[in-house]
Amino acid sequence: MKLLVQDKAFYHSFFRLTLVIALQNIISFGVNLSDNIMLGGYSESALSGVALANQIQFLLQMLVMGVGEGVVILSSRAWGARDIRTIKRVASIGMRIALLLAFLLWLAVFLFPHGCLSLFTNEDNVITEGAKYLRIIGFSYLFFAATNLLLASLRSVETVRVGFILSVSTLLINVCLNYLLIYGHFGFPAWGVGGSAAATLTARIIELVIVLVYLKRVDRKIRFTLRDFFRFDRGTFKQYLSVGSPILMSNGLWGLAMAVQSGILGHMGEAAIAANSIATTVFQIVSVVTYASASATAVIIGKTIGAGHPEKIKPYAQTLQVLYVFIGLATGAVLFLIKDMVLGFYAISPASKDLALQFMTVLSITAVGTAYQMPVLTGIVRSGGDTKFVLYNDLIFMWLIVLPSSFLCAVVWGLSPLLTFICLKSDQILKCFVAIVKVNRYRWIRTFGTTPEPKA
């Protein structure tokens, strides 16, 4: 206990940030869950098609998050030094990169929707349903990218409540429009998967409008103006590339890896696709505190280094590791206890339900590993300045071990979807051994960016 932080302000900051970000995330993932449940009641092919289409959305999400994490690392240090001008410069650079990535993905899915989906499965009915969704949802990519980059900039200065408000509005709009447009209630056309896509697109547009109004009327920390996003600073850009490019590459490779995982399971039948969609969606909702703890950690560590207090980092890291373990145990227990109840909401085949139950049982175990290694590596190590380590770690574990061995399980050896799924998630446990060694050596603390002038 002597190794743990005794400062109440540290715990207040960590739990406040984690709670608000977790609430925002749970509502954001609730949008996906509402799509899952409503489309599951409409048609299993529709559910499977949208699940595969959302793998492309997930790739975009990982890329935008990667850009945003680079913004948070640099901006939180600038916030520690109260350097608002640097925060604006970093946000401008992040916005340009995020919008470019979103545009390229939109172009791909709009021009080649069937081709994109055929990478995941050879089920024609699933591809047909997914293509209907993809052509519409692709238009939301630019709105999604802009909104999340603005939220990342606000999060770096510890403004997180607006994200919660956005998530609530998105959930309410999406659920209501899903009900009206999927099934055609109250005289609306029954568009099926097209209705679900239109509902999400509408919610994304309103999200961006809300955050822009907040920045114009409410924000008192950064005070963004439109002119700030047209300014370009070469020195800040070089620094962003040095810090942010490994994060962007790591997140991009992770997003591609998740798409490949879906492709491996997708070629094992429609039941495996539906089960994977349900299990991972429920897991994302239950694991919101895990992901929120990593985001909160990045802000706290970055701000502490930027404020010129590197001596606090070691006790912070030790305390955070203990908190992560407790979060993981609680997450795994909750997922295991609710799995049967959640499946009762889905109108899918018995085979899909059995597989989803098995997949969620596996995830209730690996959740403990995820809750430790993910915030340690992406929260502590990455925000401490060592942004390349996570990239190398993912390359080795995911691309050299997990994906090749899972491909052998599914395609060469013809093993069951359950054994293949276990293989796909095994890295969540294996990475813990690397994480515990890496973080406790403290060689990841790097000083760059804005730091305050030393006091006389």
Side-chain angles (χ1 to χ4, degrees), residues 188-408:
F188 283 83
W191 287 351
V193 293
S196 177
T200 303
L201 172 59
T202 303
R204 297 301 183 203
I205 294 172
I206 295 174
E207 265 187 342
L208 181 57
V209 171
I210 292 174
V211 76
L212 289 175
V213 170
Y214 178 87
L215 289 170
K216 180 70 175 176
R217 302 292 184 186
V218 182
D219 174 53
R220 292 293 180 268
K221 292 181 180 178
I222 307 177
R223 297 180 184 272
F224 279 127
T225 64
L226 185 61
R227 189 180 303 169
D228 293 323
F229 291 97
F230 289 99
R231 290 172 178 163
F232 181 80
D233 182 77
R234 189 179 299 273
T236 305
F237 180 65
K238 289 181 179 179
Q239 188 176 61
Y240 181 87
L241 287 182
S242 175
V243 174
S245 58
I247 302 174
L248 180 59
M249 291 175 63
S250 177
N251 279 30
L253 288 172
W254 183 259
L256 284 173
M258 293 300 102
V260 173
Q261 287 192 14
S262 294
I264 291 172
L265 290 170
H267 286 83
M268 301 185 80
E270 193 171 326
I273 299 172
N276 182 51
S277 172
I278 294 168
T280 52
T281 300
V282 175
F283 172 75
Q284 286 174 337
I285 292 175
V286 173
S287 300
V288 290
V289 177
T290 293
Y291 292 97
S293 69
S295 297
T297 297
V299 174
I300 291 171
I301 297 293
K303 179 184 176 183
T304 303
I305 294 175
H309 299 295
E311 74 283 354
K312 294 182 178 180
I313 299 300
K314 186 172 182 178
Y316 281 5
Q318 293 169 340
T319 303
L320 288 166
Q321 289 178 74
V322 175
L323 295 175
Y324 298 154
V325 172
F326 282 108
I327 290 171
L329 292 171
T331 299
V334 169
L335 181 58
F336 185 79
L337 291 173
I338 69 168
K339 63 185 188 303
D340 294 286
M341 179 188 69
V342 169
L343 286 175
F345 292 105
Y346 286 90
I348 55 176
S349 67
S352 297
K353 282 190 176 182
D354 288 342
L355 270 181
L357 185 64
Q358 294 171 10
F359 288 178
M360 281 193 279
T361 302
V362 172
L363 289 172
S364 68
I365 298 170
T366 61
V368 182
T370 302
Y372 175 76
Q373 61 85 14
M374 194 277 291
V376 161
L377 295 176
T378 65
I380 299 177
V381 173
R382 187 183 271 175
S383 64
D386 191 348
T387 59
K388 295 180 180 179
F389 181 80
V390 177
L391 171 62
Y392 301 147
N393 196 50
D394 285 343
L395 280 172
I396 293 171
F397 276 100
M398 183 57 70
W399 289 94
L400 298 182
I401 299 175
V402 169
L403 292 179
S405 60
S406 300
F407 178 82
L408 291 173

Side-chain angles (χ1 to χ4, degrees), residues 46-253:
L47 170 63
S48 300
V50 172
L52 294 184
N54 279 335
Q55 288 302 312
I56 300 171
Q57 166 72 29
F58 181 74
L59 174 59
L60 173 67
Q61 181 178 336
M62 293 304 297
L63 290 171
V64 172
M65 284 176 59
V67 177
E69 286 176 35
V71 169
V72 169
I73 289 174
L74 287 174
S75 296
S76 61
R77 294 191 178 202
W79 177 240
R82 293 301 188 266
D83 182 359
I84 303 301
R85 183 160 56 173
T86 294
I87 295 174
K88 291 182 177 182
R89 289 172 177 172
V90 173
S92 172
I93 292 166
M95 182 66 75
R96 293 167 193 238
I97 296 172
L99 290 177
L100 175 62
L101 293 171
F103 174 76
L104 293 175
L105 268 182
W106 167 79
L107 200 62
V109 302
F110 184 76
L111 296 177
F112 311 106
H114 289 81
C116 292
L117 291 170
S118 65
L119 298 172
F120 301 104
T121 184
N122 50 12
E123 302 273 348
D124 290 335
N125 55 331
V126 174
I127 292 174
T128 300
E129 292 294 326
K132 296 176 186 176
Y133 183 84
L134 205 52
R135 279 193 180 276
I136 298 173
I137 202 66
F139 287 98
S140 73
Y141 291 175
L142 288 168
F143 298 103
F144 174 83
T147 299
N148 279 272
L149 254 294
L150 292 173
L151 290 177
S153 300
L154 289 168
R155 188 166 65 248
S156 68
V157 298
E158 301 176 271
T159 299
V160 291
R161 290 182 182 178
V162 63
F164 175 67
I165 296 170
L166 285 181
S167 298
V168 171
S169 66
T170 302
L171 179 62
L172 293 175
I173 294 165
N174 198 69
V175 169
C176 292
L177 290 180
N178 270 341
Y179 180 76
L180 297 174
L181 297 177
I182 292 176
Y183 297 100
H185 292 298
F186 298 108
F188 283 83
W191 287 351
V193 293
S196 177
T200 303
L201 172 59
T202 303
R204 297 301 183 203
I205 294 172
I206 295 174
E207 265 187 342
L208 181 57
V209 171
I210 292 174
V211 76
L212 289 175
V213 170
Y214 178 87
L215 289 170
K216 180 70 175 176
R217 302 292 184 186
V218 182
D219 174 53
R220 292 293 180 268
K221 292 181 180 178
I222 307 177
R223 297 180 184 272
F224 279 127
T225 64
L226 185 61
R227 189 180 303 169
D228 293 323
F229 291 97
F230 289 99
R231 290 172 178 163
F232 181 80
D233 182 77
R234 189 179 299 273
T236 305
F237 180 65
K238 289 181 179 179
Q239 188 176 61
Y240 181 87
L241 287 182
S242 175
V243 174
S245 58
I247 302 174
L248 180 59
M249 291 175 63
S250 177
N251 279 30
L253 288 172

